[in-house]
Amino acid sequence: VMTLLVICENVTDLSEKLTVTEEMVEYKKKNDGSGENFFAGEALTVKDFIYLIIYDSNTIACQILAEHIAGSEAGLVAMMNAKAQELGLTGTHFTNVTGLYNENHYSTCREIASIMAYAMENPLAKKVLTSFEGYSIQIHNPSDKRTDYTSLKVYTDWYSVRLKDNPKMKTV
């Protein structure tokens, strides 16, 4: 959520297209990252990648937006830690934007709740976090390796962990 928050606070053009690199694909594979698999050369909008951070816990979305907003993952991590300090969070420290395990990447339950509460004050972050609707994503310049689809529809369970608790979502 901190990755989402810092990105939402700094994004300028939601319609800009960003292209997945081979390095991002390899990083995801090497580190057993989560989320939809993309191929190098495929492009999605900034808005699509923002939704994929939450809807899909997408490693590539976190990486590509970190580079877009801060020039590198390390740059966005520094911004995330600065935001944690600004919020007075003393039990939180980030080492990456993906949430992948690192012993120096930690927080407390109380501080995670504080991050979520603060994120709910940002209109874009709130929209992503509380959306009941599925979100359709269009993959631009699909790779010749992709034969199954050029778009996908993703859903979040952040706002309601169980489908039966969410009156707008139905099981298939």
Side-chain angles (χ1 to χ4, degrees):
V1 174
M2 182 65 91
T3 301
L4 173 75
L5 173 61
V6 172
I7 288 167
C8 288
E9 288 182 336
N10 292 280
V11 70
T12 57
D13 182 358
L14 293 174
S15 64
E16 184 174 356
K17 289 187 180 99
L18 304 177
T19 303
V20 175
T21 67
E22 186 62 40
E23 292 79 19
M24 293 170 187
V25 172
E26 289 304 314
Y27 178 89
K28 181 181 181 292
K29 286 179 189 174
K30 178 183 170 191
N31 293 286
D32 197 27
S34 61
E36 178 66 31
N37 291 315
F38 293 105
F39 297 104
E42 293 182 327
L44 285 77
T45 65
V46 168
K47 183 178 180 183
D48 290 345
F49 280 122
I50 287 173
Y51 271 85
L52 284 170
I53 290 172
I54 297 302
Y55 278 45
D56 197 36
S57 293
N58 195 285
T59 300
I60 291 173
C62 293
Q63 290 178 293
I64 202 165
L65 288 168
E67 288 184 13
H68 179 67
I69 297 295
S72 67
E73 181 175 21
L76 195 70
V77 167
M79 293 170 72
M80 292 164 60
N81 285 319
K83 177 57 74 175
Q85 287 182 340
E86 175 187 323
L87 297 175
L89 307 179
T90 58
T92 296
H93 183 262
F94 299 99
T95 59
N96 62 60
V97 297
T98 61
L100 291 170
Y101 176 77
N102 182 299
E103 66 184 30
N104 293 313
H105 189 95
Y106 56 84
S107 191
T108 67
C109 291
R110 180 181 305 271
E111 291 188 2
I112 290 170
S114 294
I115 294 166
M116 180 64 85
Y118 190 82
M120 294 297 280
E121 294 177 14
N122 178 284
L124 179 56
K126 181 178 181 177
K127 183 177 180 179
V128 173
L129 289 165
T130 63
S131 173
F132 283 130
E133 305 301 324
Y135 184 76
S136 294
I137 293 171
Q138 182 68 37
I139 301 170
H140 303 275
N141 305 316
S143 166
D144 59 356
K145 296 176 186 174
R146 185 172 301 281
T147 58
D148 49 352
Y149 58 85
T150 57
S151 65
L152 61 129
K153 191 158 191 166
V154 291
Y155 297 88
T156 186
D157 62 359
W158 273 81
Y159 194 70
S160 177
V161 174
R162 296 180 312 206
L163 291 176
K164 70 180 183 131
D165 294 338
N166 185 334
K168 294 185 180 180
M169 294 185 75
K170 298 176 183 173
T171 57
V172 182

